[in-house]
Amino acid sequence: MIKEDIFKKIIAHSKEYGFIFPSSEIYDGLSAVYDYGQNGTELKNNIRRFWWEAMIRLNENIVGIDAAIFMHPRTWEASGHVSAFNDPLIDNKDSKKRYRADQLIEEFLQKTEDKIQKEVEKATGKFGAGFDENIFRTTNPRVIEQQNKYDEIRKRYLKALADDDLKEFYRIIVDTGIVCPISGSKNWTEIRKFNLMFSTQLGSVSEEANTIYLRPETAQGIFVNFLNVLKTGRMKIPFGIAQTGKAFRNEIVARQFVLRMREFEQMEMQFFIRPGTEMQWYEHWKEKRMKWHKAFGFGDEKFRFHDHDKLAHYANAASDIEFAFPIGFKEVEGIHSRTDFDLANHEKYSGKKIQYFDPDTNETYTPYVVETSIGLDRMFFAVLSNAYTEEKVEWEGSAKEERVVLKLPPALSPVQLAVLPLTRKDGLPQKAREIIDRLKYDFNCQYEEKDSIGRRYRRQDAIGTPFCITIDHQSLADDTVTIRYRDTMLQERISTDRLPEIMRDKVSMTELLRKL
Ligand code: GAP
């Protein structure tokens, strides 16, 4: 199936089964804004919890806060967002579509790299065991030509980035012959800069002085609370402050569902360290965060690092963790070495001394920071698209049919146990509710009595419920039920006493945390 088709199917599935809805849909939606439905909210909460516990519970020296979305406007001058949080935008005059110039060039570079890789793969298949990739890369004329083109454009691009040279961006787009994917034309406008922060007014007077911004990253709420947490938590460097919460960006090119939203959620951790140790901690956090991603059990090949050519205005080193979405590898998390950029600027703009006295070295300094910053919505979609599976199965007794099942890690499933009375009479619903009343304190249970058992199984598969139990007349007599396992579809008769023991290991977040 074409990758875009799977992407669209997952989007349709997530709406049909209560994971994600377009925002204010009865008014035809709001572009790049989405609402989480009843199942999406549970799944999102579980992913957030896995992150929170991995940070706060498993690290003695990391604490969590919850700062306000509105912050003093000077915050964003100090952080550099007022002057430097811009995207270079270019319009195609024929399609009237707007693009980020840097992304057009990066896509061009990626395509050139893919072409080279394809040549290498073709040759590997053709020449077999004796194939020497190095010799091939340095002698094959087509590969050499593509490689030279790649190297030249990359060099020009990096320089243009460093010089913030929009005219050179434009020349690269013209020289490489990049066309608009919609119109196919090269009829481009000049490149302009556009600030991504949303602004609004505080109070009733609409004067410049009252303009405040919706935070474009949660990190600044941590920096402005550095001294508070340092003192009240009696923290000692190295230590971290974590938080999760909404961030807002007026994304101009927002076409990829929850991968690029205008209102989204971040899970960020700022780790405060002694200057000079930043590269060591940067590598440490890269490794730790990759381990967290791999703990989901999606397969290690689904994640990769992508070191940045283009550094954000605050960073001196940055790497993304990318996930293999149905539409290709995309960033889900960034690990950034932010130096003392933020704390030093907040000291300058606020006039408050923001320093740390290190009892180990007897020095006073402005701490450096290594940040881990993950988008919860992107991680949500990574989990959902990894889980989405179409299978040909023999439904309990019938001919082969397709089933759609979300093979979610059971600890993250919105519903952990579905309790299904075979009929709505003879005391079976009462028995089902009795079992739920016993288990609901430990597991998220759902009662379902409508439609045939087969249809109910299908609905539970579609939302990723790992266990279903059916209550029948025998259940009344001997307190046994039929348990059905989502992935294997196997069924067995068990005593209800065994349910907690069967489910606990599988659905417990602890098992995920133990992998870290
Ligand atoms: N404090 C650093 C920071 O905000 P970032 O790379 O701009 O860094 C971090 O953002 C993460 O936030 C990204 O890796 C991505 O997962 C998520 N993110 C950023 N912009 C987003 C958007 N418009 N929609 C959804 N997620 C977004």
Side-chain angles (χ1 to χ4, degrees), residues 63-75:
V63 293
I65 64 164
D66 185 12
I69 288 172
F70 291 140
M71 301 182 70
H72 194 284
R74 298 274 283 167
T75 308

Side-chain angles (χ1 to χ4, degrees), residues 216-217 219 249 251 258-262 264 266 268 270 314 331-334 336 338 371 373-375 377-378:
E217 60 169 7
R249 294 182 191 176
E251 299 280 2
V258 294
L259 299 186
R260 197 160 289 285
M261 299 157 88
R262 298 205 163 102
F264 57 100
Q266 291 187 316
E268 299 202 298
Q270 311 296 319
Y314 48 73
E331 170 190 350
V332 286
E333 172 157 9
H336 311 125
R338 290 182 81 129
E371 155 186 84
S373 172
I374 173 171
D377 312 271
R378 285 193 194 177

Side-chain angles (χ1 to χ4, degrees), residues 419-422 426-428 431-432 434-435 438 469-483 493-496:
V419 182
L420 320 173
L422 196 59
D426 301 338
L428 299 188
K431 178 73 183 168
E434 203 183 282
I435 294 173
R438 259 191 275 155
I469 53 168
T470 309
I471 317 297
D472 57 17
H473 292 90
Q474 192 184 331
S475 312
L476 301 178
D478 62 5
D479 204 26
T480 61
V481 291
T482 305
I483 184 165
R493 186 112 207 153
I494 57 159
S495 156
T496 57

